[in-house]
Amino acid sequence: MPGGRLTQAERQQIASGLADGLAYAEIARGLDRPTSTVTREVMRNGGPTSYRADLAHRATEHRTHRRRPAAPRGTQAPSPVDGRDMEAVAAFEETFTTVMMASGMPKMMSRVMSCLTITDSGSLTATELAQRLQVSPASISKAVAFLETQAMVRRERDEGRRERYIVDDDIWYQAMLASARSTAQIVDIARQGTKVLGPHTPAAARLENIARYLDFVTESITRAAEQARDILHTSPPTPPTPSTDTGADTPHPDRG
């Protein structure tokens, strides 16, 4: 599988694939590249509806020239943490951020959510987030405020009275319920609209169908969230240890 930066020809192929309505995975297969490479490339350069190969190529060259010079000889690369490949971790964090952006979450909020999620503690202070993401504390504050409205982050103070931002096991459950409550508000408003527009008008019928559909979906999401909640508190199964038994103690079928 080829590595390195995308070429201009590959970017043209991505643009053609998007124009043909191909999925990222299908475009990636045509390039013999990981799907995450194509996803990051598109989301970093305007998204699927605004991606242009020539602009993307120039933007990449501009970013490359703006990067800091290489470290002097003798400078060691960051040490692995718990045996992890830190370059792979950084690449995964970028991919996770890109996927959340594709789902509709703004960029900075996606970066904060990704950073918190892949931290073992699931908890960082504003200062730690700002240092990790190389942004201002004000940007962190704004992002956290948004994530709180989505019930995706909570705050608490540690022993040093510092405010910490946390993504714990129940965050996704709470976020699903918050989403369901927001959708339920749309249901209520749509039904109010049917009365305002008159029960026998096409617009009122449209709103009633929207309300019935969203009402069903909201109820299904809430029920599923409740039923699946325990999954968030379940430890993943431990992979079985490879057996070293040579079979020496196993009786031969022909022996008594």
Side-chain angles (χ1 to χ4, degrees):
M1 181 178 293
R5 297 193 185 99
L6 289 165
T7 65
Q8 190 160 14
E10 287 177 316
R11 290 190 167 96
Q12 292 288 357
Q13 192 169 335
I14 290 173
S16 297
L18 293 172
D20 291 340
L22 301 183
Y24 293 149
E26 192 170 353
I27 296 172
R29 282 195 295 272
L31 296 172
D32 195 20
R33 293 272 194 172
T35 302
S36 59
T37 298
V38 175
T39 304
R40 286 198 304 269
E41 167 69 14
V42 174
M43 297 308 301
R44 184 187 287 161
N45 294 286
T49 59
S50 302
Y51 182 83
R52 285 184 53 187
D54 52 345
L55 294 181
H57 197 70
R58 286 201 294 270
T60 300
E61 290 182 337
H62 181 64
R63 284 194 295 267
T64 301
H65 292 152
R66 288 181 56 191
R67 285 173 184 159
R68 291 176 293 181
R73 288 185 180 180
T75 301
Q76 295 182 342
S79 300
V81 178
D82 295 332
R84 293 168 177 158
D85 180 341
M86 298 313 292
E87 288 189 3
V89 171
F92 172 76
E93 183 175 354
E94 185 176 354
T95 301
F96 193 12
T97 299
T98 301
V99 169
M100 284 192 289
M101 289 170 58
S103 73
M105 186 181 290
K107 181 177 181 179
M108 183 52 62
M109 293 64 173
S110 297
R111 293 188 67 197
V112 169
M113 191 66 189
S114 178
C115 189
L116 284 169
T117 301
I118 70 170
T119 303
D120 283 329
S121 64
S123 167
L124 293 170
T125 65
T127 299
E128 289 168 338
L129 278 167
Q131 290 173 346
R132 287 173 179 244
L133 299 178
Q134 294 294 294
V135 297
S136 69
S139 296
I140 298 298
S141 178
K142 182 178 179 181
V144 169
F146 172 86
L147 291 169
E148 281 187 304
T149 66
Q150 308 300 308
M152 300 190 78
V153 167
R154 66 180 179 84
R155 304 176 189 235
E156 70 176 29
R157 293 195 178 274
D158 59 20
E159 295 177 356
R161 304 301 297 165
R162 295 176 305 177
E163 196 168 67
R164 304 192 71 85
Y165 307 128
I166 301 170
V167 288
D168 52 24
D169 290 342
D170 253 8
I171 284 297
W172 288 100
Y173 167 75
Q174 297 296 342
M176 292 299 290
L177 293 188
S179 175
R181 287 193 295 269
S182 296
T183 306
Q185 291 179 337
I186 299 175
V187 172
D188 291 341
I189 292 299
R191 290 212 160 111
Q192 290 178 29
T194 61
K195 297 176 183 178
V196 172
L197 296 169
H200 304 297
T201 63
R206 185 181 305 115
L207 284 171
E208 177 57 27
N209 288 339
I210 290 171
R212 289 170 55 223
Y213 171 77
L214 293 180
D215 198 18
F216 178 84
V217 169
T218 300
E219 182 180 346
S220 300
I221 288 174
T222 303
R223 183 169 57 251
E226 293 286 357
Q227 292 173 344
R229 188 177 185 181
D230 287 346
I231 294 174
L232 295 169
H233 303 276
T234 304
S235 299
T238 303
T241 303
S243 175
T244 57
D245 186 1
T246 60
D249 298 330
T250 305
H252 192 278
D254 294 334
R255 296 174 188 164

